[in-house]
Amino acid sequence: MAKANTTKSTSEKTFDYDVIIIGTGPGGEGAAMELSKKNRKVAIIERYKDVGGGCTHWGTIPSKALRQSVSRLTEYNASPLFRGHNKAKRLTCAEILNHASSVISKQVQLRSGFYDRNQVELITGDASFIDTNTIQVIKKDGSIEKINAEKIVIATGSHPYRPDDIDFNHPRVYDSDTILSLKHEPRSIIIYGAGVIGSEYASIFRGLSVKVDLINTRERLLSFLDDEISDALSYHLWNNGVVIRHGEQIKRVETTEQSVIVYLESGKKMRADCLLFANGRTGNTADLKLENAGLKVDGRGQLKVNNKYQTHVDNIYAVGDVIGYPSLASAAYDQGRLAASAMIDHQSTAMLIADIPTGIYTIPEISSVGKTEQELTEAKIPYEVGRAQFKHLARAQITNSLVGSLKILFHRETKEILGIHCFGENAAEIIHIGQAIMQQTNGGNTIEYFVNTTFNYPTMAEAFRVAALNGLNRLF
Ligand SMILES: Cc1cc2nc3c(=O)[nH]c(=O)nc-3n(C[C@H](O)[C@H](O)[C@H](O)COP(=O)(O)OP(=O)(O)OC[C@H]3O[C@@H](n4cnc5c(N)ncnc54)[C@H](O)[C@@H]3O)c2cc1C
């Protein structure tokens, strides 16, 4: 059904649109699709030439496509069946970047179709506020369009933080956006920042046989993870040859034509063919002229919202990376949908699930949902642990995915599942089986579900049965 040409607010003021959304990443797309399906007249503004957001062009999709190529390469080289006595196969950065760009094109085509089919008007240009209801769009040809709407959604995402004293114009200095246009084949790389992005790129470059120095500003890798999983990641990166330096701060960076030298506050210095600076992100709010709408951001360029994703200006909502934690594509999409529901029904019908899973695409992969052992111990909750090692599963032996484990944390008395932590190939997929059961506690499901249910055999899902039996056997 075609949408009305003009819309009216409760005060009968006529607007061009019901809702204007700024940004076509998962946050903007989630809001646009939900609003359009509820027959709202929607415009979405994007300053990049293609839709999809940072998620499609510089973040989730390219990094996962790169990781997939490297992971398959590693698997091929590790398999005597495929590789035989041949020399190990090598891939260049250029080859895997090329593959990633073909995935990006497919994503853009798919996502553009969503806007067409749902009659969401896509406007290309730079958006900024004129007032709380009016947006100015500066188009590529310099022309200016002013449009207004009853409600506005800010879904402008984030960009890598760049300290002023590092020269990011130097051809050997990259951030997580520019690394995708790497033009040379580095033999060594220094990665500063060992968060999710830094750790994922450390795995990717090491898989391409590049020497990697990973500099962590904290005392352990990904300290929000369960300690055992964080330790397992450190061990596997170390075992694959990544040099990790914990508790370090960068002092300065020196560049030459062919290399970079990083000086650390501790007095250490290291040289490599290039630097990937991956330490922090800032909300994309600097160009929005938020002051015209009476909005302010914090020191990280992020906006505060309530549980309906509404800023302190009632008709303006914000979703995705621009509101900070958890800064995941998965969460941004749901936040967009929930903000749209809140606009339509005046209350959010569903809160974003408390237990958002973590998917970390290092090699090996990591995924977690719920509490860690440290959190349960600190809260004095009597829990027990059930473990399954991948190397004992038939499916893992068949696929040669022997590195990995699954751990289920559950309440000793009620047997409620409290946390699931998985390390190894396909962890991010495997976790969802447990997540589904974990969220059915009120429906009566506990860890016993996994021993009372028949799973396909041989599958990785068997890890849940093995871990559950292991854990239940510890009870007395
Ligand atoms: C290397 C990397 C790997 C990642 N891996 C994962 C992962 O595996 N899983 C996961 O869930 N998340 C991952 N993320 C995070 C994920 O990409 C982000 O959380 C997600 O993209 C945020 O979505 P968003 O809609 O808020 O913003 P974005 O996807 O960043 O989209 C914002 C859009 O707004 C546009 N915009 C900004 N300002 C304006 C303006 N003034 N006018 C018009 N348009 C504007 C931008 O051009 C952009 O297209 C990763 C991020 C990075 C950097």
Side-chain angles (χ1 to χ4, degrees), residues 19 34-35 37-40 150-151 308 310 317 336-351:
V19 185
E34 185 73 14
L35 288 162
K37 288 194 193 308
K38 299 280 161 53
N39 215 29
R40 297 303 191 271
E150 189 184 349
K151 295 193 167 76
K308 294 178 191 163
Q310 205 169 18
Y317 293 70
R337 274 195 316 110
L338 293 175
S341 302
M343 281 177 218
I344 293 164
D345 307 336
H346 301 291
Q347 57 177 17
S348 190
T349 46
M351 290 285 294

Side-chain angles (χ1 to χ4, degrees), residues 22-28 45-48 52-55 58-60 63-64 125-127 155-158 176 197 200-201 281 284 287-288 319-322 327-330 332 359 361:
I22 312 175
T24 61
I45 308 168
E46 174 53 59
R47 67 180 174 194
Y48 189 60
C55 171
W58 311 285
T60 315
S63 62
K64 262 74 271 182
D126 257 286
T156 48
S158 63
S176 63
I197 295 172
E200 288 185 359
Y201 272 110
R281 297 184 66 83
N284 290 332
D287 306 329
L288 287 173
V319 296
D321 279 14
V322 79
S327 294
L328 289 171
S330 50
Y361 298 84

Side-chain angles (χ1 to χ4, degrees), residues 417-451:
I417 302 170
L418 303 169
I420 305 172
H421 304 276
C422 190
F423 182 81
E425 197 57 23
N426 285 323
E429 299 282 355
I430 293 167
I431 202 87
H432 292 307
I433 302 166
Q435 182 194 24
I437 302 308
M438 190 173 160
Q439 278 171 9
Q440 288 171 14
T441 305
N442 291 338
N445 267 329
T446 66
I447 189 171
E448 287 177 329
Y449 174 91
F450 297 118
V451 289

Side-chain angles (χ1 to χ4, degrees), residues 371-390:
K371 302 279 184 241
T372 63
E373 286 207 54
Q374 305 89 274
E375 287 167 337
L376 294 174
T377 304
E378 199 171 321
K380 295 195 167 49
I381 293 172
Y383 70 91
E384 199 40 272
V385 187
R387 287 189 176 78
Q389 299 291 336
F390 282 10

